[in-house]
Amino acid sequence: MEKSTLSRVNIGDGISFSSVVDQRFKTNRISINFVTPLNKDTVSANAILPSILKKGHKGCDNFTEFNRLLENLYGARIESYIQKIGDLQIISLAITCIDDKFALENEQLSKKAAEILCNIALNPVLEDGVFRKQDVDVEKVSLIDAIDAEINEKRIYAVNNLIKLMCENEPYGIPKYGYKEQVELLDGAKIKCAYDKLVSTARVEIMFTGCGNPKLAEDVFKSIFNETSRNYSDISNSTIHKKNSDISKLERLAVNQSKLVLGFCNELPSNSNEISATKLMVACLGGTTSSKLFLNVREKMSLCYYCAARYDRFKGIMIIDSGVENDKIDIAKKAIIEQLDAIKTGDITDEDIKNSRLSLVNTLNSVYDYDSSIESWYMGQIISGTDTSPAKEASTFESITKNEIIEAAKRFSLDSTYILTGNEE
Amino acid sequence: MNKTIIKSDALNEQYYSFTHESGLEILLYPMEGFSSSYALFGTKYGSIDSTFKTQHDTEFTTVPEGIAHFLEHKLFESEGGPEFDAFNLFAKTGASANAFTSFDKTCYLFSTTENFEESLKILLEFVQSPYFTDKTVEKEQGIIGQEIKMYEDMADNHVFYKMLEMMYEVNPVRINIAGTVESISKIDADLLYKCYNTFYNLNNMVIAITGNFDVDTALKIIESNLKTKEKIVITRGEVNEKPEVVSHRYEEKFQVSLPQFCFGYKEKPVAEKDLVKTNILYNIILDSVVGKSSELYKKLYDEGHINSDFGKDVFCGPNYMTNIFSGESRTSDVVMKRINDALQETKKTGISEEAFTRLKKAAYGHSIVNYNDVEEVAVNLLSSHFLGINGFGILDAISSATLEEVNSLLRSSFNEDYISISVLNPL
């Protein structure tokens, strides 16, 4: 049997429970993920939900007491986060706890962990039927701070601004935490409304990864969802980005190092073979330390400290981001585009392709070694409606030819440029 | 070589330890069922080791700031040219390679699911084959200069180092690991060789391998690829740091959305062998006083003084020990005052038995989680060895911790005269 295979069952209308049981791990990780279309009207209220929900649940509504409960569960960890995958917003809560076999007094840790996650997600703390004012007020400030804090991580800030520029008129261009102005208008009732809508209509994906018995967790969730009314309809797939005609934006801040981010577009939907060829092409271009961008733009020309390419298969977009000296932006942009052009004209060796393939296969085979990467992998598969294991994906690269890589490169053209640079002297 | 088997009953796992005649420590931890093998080859040499001598030197040498990190970059280059650079060689095996320099060590690593043997040979070869020329040094100054500028734009990095500068007068821990653009301009090939020949002696090094590999195969490859030289005995410069801080406060305008703060208590350093235990005891204290399960955390959070970015840490190593609090806040002085008040109060009352038991249980759980992960296990093995304990030492230290030890450490720490804070305010 292949390693770490996914088992998936339907436990309600648009609700699935997936599990990967693996005795190598010493923990059990369970996550509940509400998958919903990115929408300007709902994004902000959805974004605030995880931080409010993770503070406790009905019957354990004091944050301090709730954390003491987690500490007594051998330091079980709760995570809450928002993801953006294609045109979808995913609102997630997760718990990780050591397995029962490591409990020092035979406690039933995994069942308890599942109950806690289920309760914080589906039995929230309410007051008069809405979220408590004190929780809402604090988390509104926190979310606004998080939206503003994007600027603190300049590399991420620059990439996010490229996406906003490139996909301005698409859901993908909506920031995953929403908008400050919208957050300011939220209150306990509005958030409760958003929560009810999410629980009723979102696609729900529950993931279990660990060494324990997933049936315990499955039964806990099945039982609570039996009591939950649903109004689910299928969620559409993400749409491929439509090309802009080479737009650009320059922003000035007090920075020592400039950020140059280029967005390339592959306008037409790709079949699975073309997607594999694109992934391999992107690896050759800028996915490894033997890629064209690393060897030429960084090492030979010393233009960038980092210069990397990545591909978003949901949107058909490739992003190349780099950290460059303030006075070398134009030269760096030219050099980066030259590397892509080189592949388009066939300037790529069999050795380059072989090395990139090896690197991709290594990365894919490593997915099995971490519970978080197993979960992340299979969530991506579920969202795209595919059922490919990391090993199977690795095998698709074996048959990709040099011509297919060249054709993959030719499908990309420059769409948008974002530059973050220092203030004028 | 003699083989020592180190076992953990709690985890039902074991690993093998060998000491080569050169002094190199070899730690091999097979992890059944994992796809990756992870190898970490490290030297006990970091940014704090700026002054040193060997048994052959009469005088101490002091080197430019940032040289340990600079050396790490240069080691990937080969005398044979770019075709033989380490990254290029690893590309042919598919291994993912990297390196890091910290305050007290430098490590070179790869992770791979195939071609383990070839990758291991590459790792052993390139780390033991230095090649530095003034021309290649000059080229690297450009790249590292950009890396330094990238870090200068990172608020959390900047606020932390400014706090260290306020706290420590002479201790080299106050120096940025990468140095400055100015300090790295003073590095030349001769200095790199001096540092290399001192610290990259096998007597000062460890190789740790975890995951999917065969112990006998790995051992054979290591033994056949070691370049044994005379054992170097290193004397590291003494650090005469006074207990007082240099300055209590630093403020600066910076490109941040909210003010960021970092404050710490300068504590008495402890011997290396006691670092792991002391770290655990301090973490219990910090969790008890201002962790998420404390009343103080909830008050500070609900009143808007801290947000989910708030963190606390025990920052410690050879010759330095600091309890640090950091985060974003419009009222960092309030945060500092309230945490300090709570610490001083808790010094009088002591931490309760209930809190201690609960936090010890949580610490045990967190340490078990670290053994899920080929990378975490390798880093733990290597770091623990440099501190004189075995790879399961952290579990033992947690089990043996007592409430009396925690309260005794609490009473002798957190002197409010020894606090430094740095604050970055928005432009």
Side-chain angles (χ1 to χ4, degrees):
Chain A
M1 193 167 93
E2 200 185 88
K3 185 181 290 221
S4 303
T5 47
L6 184 82
S7 164
R8 191 150 179 259
V9 294
N10 186 278
I11 62 168
D13 189 19
I15 307 170
S16 300
F17 183 93
S18 304
S19 57
V20 175
V21 179
D22 195 320
Q23 295 308 318
R24 293 173 300 153
F25 299 123
K26 297 165 178 68
T27 51
N28 296 307
R29 177 187 164 87
I30 314 166
S31 68
I32 179 166
N33 306 275
F34 295 93
V35 183
T36 190
L38 260 171
N39 183 303
K40 278 187 177 161
D41 295 332
T42 56
V43 62
S44 308
N46 285 343
I48 205 172
L49 278 172
S51 54
I52 292 181
L53 293 173
K54 75 168 187 198
K55 294 165 88 111
H57 57 77
K58 192 172 161 188
C60 186
D61 62 3
N62 179 288
F63 183 72
T64 305
E65 290 309 318
F66 180 60
N67 277 284
R68 291 183 184 184
L69 173 75
L70 294 173
E71 282 167 357
N72 274 320
L73 215 59
Y74 294 89
R77 283 213 158 107
I78 300 277
E79 292 165 67
S80 60
Y81 46 96
I82 301 284
Q83 297 175 80
K84 183 164 78 167
I85 298 182
D87 296 333
L88 301 171
Q89 185 185 29
I90 304 176
I91 295 92
S92 304
L93 291 161
I95 189 166
T96 305
C97 185
I98 60 171
D99 187 62
D100 299 14
K101 66 185 173 216
F102 295 103
L104 297 170
E105 286 158 24
N106 295 318
E107 300 101 309
Q108 284 192 311
L109 304 178
S110 44
K111 182 162 184 260
K112 187 72 189 153
E115 286 166 352
I116 288 173
L117 184 69
C118 200
N119 279 322
I120 61 173
L122 299 163
N123 261 332
V125 178
L126 301 173
E127 201 166 73
D128 300 325
V130 301
F131 289 105
R132 294 188 298 203
K133 187 177 185 320
Q134 68 261 36
D135 293 335
V136 168
D137 288 349
V138 155
E139 296 308 330
K140 275 170 64 171
V141 171
S142 221
L143 182 56
I144 289 171
D145 287 347
I147 291 169
D148 286 338
E150 187 193 39
I151 205 170
N152 296 341
E153 289 296 326
K154 307 293 185 293
R155 183 173 182 178
I156 298 171
Y157 174 75
V159 170
N160 285 345
N161 278 345
L162 182 276
I163 293 171
K164 275 184 213 165
L165 174 72
M166 195 169 169
C167 303
E168 194 183 355
N169 300 312
E170 301 162 55
Y172 190 56
I174 299 171
K176 67 180 181 184
Y177 292 134
Y179 306 95
K180 273 166 66 166
E181 325 68 79
Q182 287 184 353
V183 177
E184 272 153 11
L185 296 174
L186 292 174
D187 59 30
K190 286 180 182 150
I191 299 171
K192 178 65 166 53
C193 204
Y195 169 79
D196 288 340
K197 189 175 173 200
L198 196 69
V199 171
S200 167
T201 64
R203 184 164 154 195
V204 183
E205 297 288 346
I206 303 157
M207 306 276 305
F208 174 102
T209 319
C211 59
N213 181 0
K215 195 77 177 57
L216 298 171
E218 183 189 324
D219 289 343
V220 164
F221 281 97
K222 206 188 256 181
S223 166
I224 202 165
F225 272 115
N226 277 340
E227 315 288 320
T228 309
S229 68
R230 294 272 292 163
N231 186 17
Y232 173 73
S233 18
D234 279 340
I235 291 168
S236 329
N237 285 335
S238 301
T239 53
I240 296 295
H241 167 71
K242 289 268 177 266
K243 189 177 179 330
N244 297 303
S245 49
D246 202 359
I247 54 176
S248 49
K249 181 175 177 181
L250 184 141
E251 184 177 356
R252 291 189 184 277
L253 289 174
V255 294
N256 292 298
Q257 184 189 67
S258 294
K259 309 297 186 198
L260 167 65
V261 191
L262 306 177
F264 296 81
C265 165
N266 168 13
E267 207 167 355
L268 299 172
S270 305
N271 60 42
S272 64
N273 198 59
E274 285 170 345
I275 289 174
S276 292
T278 302
K279 287 179 183 175
L280 189 47
M281 184 279 291
V282 172
C284 294
L285 174 62
T288 72
T289 50
S290 58
S291 65
K292 281 189 165 316
L293 290 176
F294 188 91
L295 289 178
N296 296 308
V297 183
R298 171 177 144 145
E299 291 294 297
K300 276 195 191 136
M301 295 185 238
S302 297
L303 287 172
C304 310
Y305 172 63
Y306 65 88
C307 188
R310 71 184 120 99
Y311 171 56
D312 183 324
R313 70 179 190 276
F314 297 98
K315 298 298 296 179
I317 288 171
M318 176 174 67
I319 293 175
I320 297 177
D321 81 312
S322 54
V324 307
E325 293 221 50
N326 291 344
D327 59 354
K328 297 209 169 117
I329 296 169
D330 290 338
I331 304 172
K333 182 174 176 180
K334 185 167 174 282
I336 289 168
I337 292 170
E338 275 169 2
Q339 304 313 307
L340 177 60
D341 287 344
I343 299 180
K344 287 180 182 179
T345 57
D347 178 12
I348 179 168
T349 66
D350 289 340
E351 174 125 7
D352 291 340
I353 296 169
K354 181 182 163 213
N355 291 344
S356 296
R357 186 182 290 128
L358 271 173
S359 175
L360 282 179
V361 168
N362 182 44
T363 303
L364 285 165
N365 286 334
S366 305
V367 165
Y368 293 109
D369 284 352
Y370 303 89
D371 55 359
S372 54
S373 58
I374 291 174
E375 179 183 302
S376 179
W377 174 266
Y378 282 115
M379 269 301 292
Q381 290 300 308
I382 287 166
I383 297 293
S384 56
T386 48
D387 184 19
T388 308
S389 67
K392 187 149 175 244
E393 167 108 345
S395 69
T396 65
F397 296 118
E398 293 303 323
S399 57
I400 302 293
T401 64
K402 183 171 170 176
N403 269 342
E404 284 170 319
I405 291 170
I406 293 169
E407 291 306 310
K410 283 179 179 171
R411 286 194 287 272
F412 281 101
S413 53
L414 183 63
D415 181 304
S416 307
T417 303
Y418 172 85
I419 296 167
L420 173 66
T421 190
N423 290 318
E424 279 171 313
E425 303 282 310
Chain B
M1 276 184 285
N2 283 333
K3 173 168 80 177
T4 308
I5 302 175
I6 294 112
K7 290 186 184 181
S8 164
D9 291 331
L11 296 169
N12 195 25
E13 290 181 0
Q14 64 186 35
Y15 70 95
Y16 308 95
S17 165
F18 306 85
T19 306
H20 188 259
E21 60 184 10
S22 63
L24 176 74
E25 189 71 15
I26 303 166
L27 305 169
L28 306 177
Y29 195 136
M31 294 165 74
E32 203 186 315
F34 280 82
S35 303
S36 323
S37 51
Y38 190 101
L40 193 63
F41 192 11
T43 167
K44 196 174 176 182
Y45 171 48
S47 63
I48 61 173
D49 298 305
S50 49
T51 301
F52 57 88
K53 66 176 182 172
T54 73
Q55 70 267 41
H56 301 303
D57 300 320
T58 48
E59 303 289 325
F60 278 94
T61 301
T62 298
V63 290
E65 296 170 7
I67 195 168
H69 171 252
F70 201 103
L71 203 168
E72 176 229 298
H73 270 240
K74 293 318 300 168
L75 215 49
F76 282 85
E77 283 184 17
S78 164
E79 188 168 0
E83 202 188 319
F84 297 99
D85 285 355
F87 278 130
N88 228 8
L89 297 178
F90 278 122
K92 297 183 201 318
T93 67
S96 170
N98 211 336
F100 63 85
T101 307
S102 68
F103 292 97
D104 59 352
K105 57 183 168 290
T106 307
C107 295
Y108 303 83
L109 61 100
F110 72 82
S111 168
T112 192
T113 57
E114 290 179 17
N115 302 316
F116 165 74
E117 294 170 38
E118 193 52 40
S119 302
L120 181 56
K121 287 176 191 162
I122 294 168
L123 179 70
L124 291 161
E125 176 60 30
F126 93 83
V127 174
Q128 295 181 92
S129 307
Y131 175 68
F132 317 125
T133 67
D134 286 335
K135 190 174 172 197
T136 62
V137 166
E138 193 184 328
K139 178 184 149 277
E140 202 66 40
Q141 278 159 347
I143 293 175
I144 294 182
Q146 290 184 52
E147 186 179 353
I148 290 169
K149 286 184 181 173
M150 185 181 78
Y151 291 135
E152 283 173 357
D153 288 335
M154 292 180 175
D156 50 0
N157 188 70
H158 191 68
V159 77
F160 170 66
Y161 272 108
K162 282 300 174 195
M163 191 226 44
L164 289 179
E165 282 176 31
M166 296 301 105
M167 186 170 280
Y168 291 98
E169 185 180 22
V170 299
N171 191 316
V173 76
R174 69 194 301 279
I175 298 163
N176 196 304
I177 293 172
T180 63
V181 171
E182 202 227 328
S183 74
I184 65 171
S185 71
K186 301 187 172 81
I187 295 172
D188 60 32
D190 287 340
L191 281 170
L192 288 173
Y193 276 116
K194 173 90 180 160
C195 292
Y196 182 89
N197 291 330
T198 303
F199 292 101
Y200 283 74
N201 183 269
L202 293 173
N203 194 33
N204 190 46
M205 298 181 74
V206 174
I207 183 161
I209 307 179
T210 58
N212 178 23
F213 70 100
D214 177 72
V215 169
D216 291 332
T217 305
L219 202 56
K220 211 164 151 194
I221 291 171
I222 294 168
E223 283 185 291
S224 325
N225 286 278
L226 291 179
K227 298 178 184 179
T228 309
K229 297 172 188 165
E230 179 205 7
K231 274 187 189 175
I232 298 291
V233 176
I234 303 165
T235 306
R236 296 167 204 256
E238 251 183 46
V239 176
N240 294 313
E241 176 75 34
K242 59 189 182 193
E244 297 85 11
V245 300
V246 175
S247 170
H248 291 291
R249 187 176 191 87
Y250 174 86
E251 267 192 72
E252 182 185 337
K253 292 218 181 277
F254 205 82
Q255 191 70 66
V256 282
S257 56
L258 258 192
Q260 288 212 3
F261 70 90
C262 182
F263 74 90
Y265 290 80
K266 189 174 181 180
E267 309 290 358
K268 201 169 156 212
V270 304
E272 282 188 14
K273 65 174 177 55
D274 297 325
L275 275 170
V276 170
K277 182 71 171 277
T278 309
N279 190 320
I280 286 162
L281 298 176
Y282 270 132
N283 269 303
I284 290 175
I285 295 169
L286 299 185
D287 280 333
S288 173
V289 172
V290 71
K292 283 187 178 164
S293 62
S294 68
E295 297 283 354
L296 177 60
Y297 181 95
K298 185 172 187 306
K299 280 199 186 105
L300 288 173
Y301 192 96
D302 286 348
E303 291 171 22
H305 296 298
I306 61 173
N307 59 27
S308 56
D309 208 52
F310 174 75
K312 51 193 176 21
D313 192 27
V314 182
F315 174 63
C316 61
N319 295 312
Y320 59 94
M321 176 72 71
T322 323
N323 286 301
I324 297 179
F325 308 86
S326 63
E328 299 173 329
S329 178
R330 296 169 181 84
T331 50
S332 54
D333 287 341
V334 171
V335 177
M336 188 165 69
K337 180 176 188 322
R338 299 263 286 267
I339 289 176
N340 183 52
D341 287 348
L343 282 163
Q344 303 312 321
E345 185 57 34
T346 312
K347 278 162 89 163
K348 294 178 201 158
T349 61
I351 285 165
S352 71
E353 179 80 49
E354 183 276 327
F356 171 72
T357 305
R358 173 171 32 88
L359 291 167
K360 188 169 157 171
K361 214 169 170 182
Y364 165 77
H366 293 158
S367 65
I368 296 276
V369 173
N370 287 337
Y371 291 89
N372 251 1
D373 187 322
V374 293
E375 181 176 354
E376 291 270 7
V377 173
V379 173
N380 174 43
L381 275 183
L382 185 140
S383 305
S384 296
H385 178 78
F386 280 151
L387 296 177
I389 62 172
N390 73 46
F392 302 123
I394 189 165
L395 290 170
D396 298 334
I398 292 169
S399 309
S400 67
T402 64
L403 180 57
E404 290 68 39
E405 281 176 319
V406 167
N407 281 326
S408 170
L409 183 64
L410 171 61
R411 282 190 295 270
S412 65
S413 307
F414 302 103
N415 183 333
E416 47 195 343
D417 292 331
Y418 297 165
I419 298 176
S420 292
I421 183 168
S422 76
V423 179
L424 303 181
N425 291 308
L427 295 170

